[in-house]
Amino acid sequence: MLDPQLFRSDLNEVKIQLDRRSYDFDTAAYEALESKRKAVQIKTQDLQNERNKSSKSIGQAKAKGENIQPLLDQVQHLGNQLKEAETELSQIQQKMTELMEAIPNFLDEVVPAGKDEDDNVEISRWGDLPEFSFEAKDHVDLGESKGLNFEVAAKIASARFAVLQGPLARLQRAIIQLMMDTHTLEHGYSETYVPFLVNADSLYGTGQLPKFESDLFKANNDPALYLIPTAEVPVTNIVRDVIVDAKEMPLKFVCHTPCFRSEAGAYGRDVRGMIRQHQFEKVELVQIVSEKKSVKAHEELTNHAENILKKLNLPYRKVLLCAGDTGFSSSKTYDLEVWLPGQGKYREISSCSHFKDFQARRMQARWRNPETGKPELVHTVNGSGLAAGRTLIAVMENYQDEQGRVHIPEVLKPYMGGIEIIE
RNA sequence: GGAGAGUUGGCCGAGCGGCUGAAGGCGCUCCCCUGCUAAGGGAGUAUGGGCUUUAUCUCCCAUCGAGGGUUCGAAUCCCUCACUCUCCGCCA
């Protein structure tokens, strides 16, 4: 949610900012609603004030034993008028909220213009692409004989699920362990375990609801619970409706969870393999920081994710998403894309976003700034560190040999119980 | 699943339908006193919104788990829901 004050004080700037997003904001409609809101709110509060004063004087008269009937008659007319005004006001406010919560975050000034992923800007590359003397296989072919099975998963559940067994299943667990250990021991994140089902308020807080309900799996509960699409949702909502003590800032959480996405808008994309699944494992990094430190925190968090790729010696590139590719709640997003020899392409393995106060305003997540003594909205920053399923794919494809075996990267060996090669 | 108790400010805790945005205590901040420490005295200490505004103060509205209702007036009465705790049952 954007700051409503800004809409009142500088609508022009709002329009300019939203144009960058190609978000068609109807300023005339907004202004009409806003002026109505102002008039009705003032009227309502005046009536409330009148009622409060009269009621108080009735109380005082009664205490003195005076006849209160004339006073009661005086207040008679107020009731209906007030009720009407209050109803109208709450309707207007609801409309206003609906309008505001559908508006995406402003883009950071450094975000390049552009329509889709083709317009993203490459920031850097790291690592040497592996050179094979044979034709590189993709993870589906490599996994076929090693316990990666899509048919069984389809039987058990449906398409877009995978079953992993044996050393390959262990490899994914090893990858997760490496990430958790690195982020807790070397990067200073606090290990966090959370519910995998969340309520609508939490999804609203991070921006998935109300706009993107179709991307979610909804459990048949009352009130509704949803499977988390990312640990970002439960973890960030830890600070919903909280005023964080300055001493505790910044908060840094790392959390491994499965993620569930219905991928409703992605039919036909990445149908082969486990690139795009309804369920996948991910390690998520979340930081709750003050406004002043958030830009730096975003850079650092992205580096923390990059460190995992470096440890695994996986070639990757860092990309700054363009206007059209930056998510609804984000003001600026870096994607990390890992090299997949099987596809001959870089593919997203992490997405690190800076939300500024957009999520915090929805969540009423604040901290007390010692300089002012006042509660101020926090800034939220998060990123995958990394998507474990895709990391597994990347390890398989980058560490394959001519016999179709997968070699275990050096850093993962301590977690593999003596396995060095998956045959 | 069954039975009971509860939800008030940063925390603890009071609160006959009107003078309670809320006693008292703790904590915190500032001041005084005391040659350190301790003890003592005084003042302050919720959040959101509106109006206005360069900005602030005053002012106005809302908020005592959430939502409805009764009433001129609700923290206080009624209804629904959520959550927490205790005991029993079940359970990894």
Side-chain angles (χ1 to χ4, degrees), chain A residues 98-135:
Chain A
E98 280 167 18
L99 184 95
M100 293 298 289
E101 68 193 12
I103 299 173
N105 199 1
F106 287 167
L107 295 168
D108 192 278
E109 66 252 18
V110 303
V111 172
K115 200 164 99 257
D116 53 32
E117 61 198 37
D118 295 332
D119 298 318
N120 294 341
V121 173
E122 184 175 300
I123 304 286
S124 62
R125 286 189 186 215
W126 184 91
D128 299 320
L129 303 192
E131 286 178 30
F132 298 113
S133 58
F134 53 93
E135 191 171 345

Side-chain angles (χ1 to χ4, degrees), chain A residues 369-387:
Chain A
N369 185 344
E371 284 173 28
T372 59
K374 296 269 183 242
E376 292 175 13
L377 292 171
V378 298
H379 277 201
T380 55
V381 172
N382 73 43
S384 358
L386 312 160

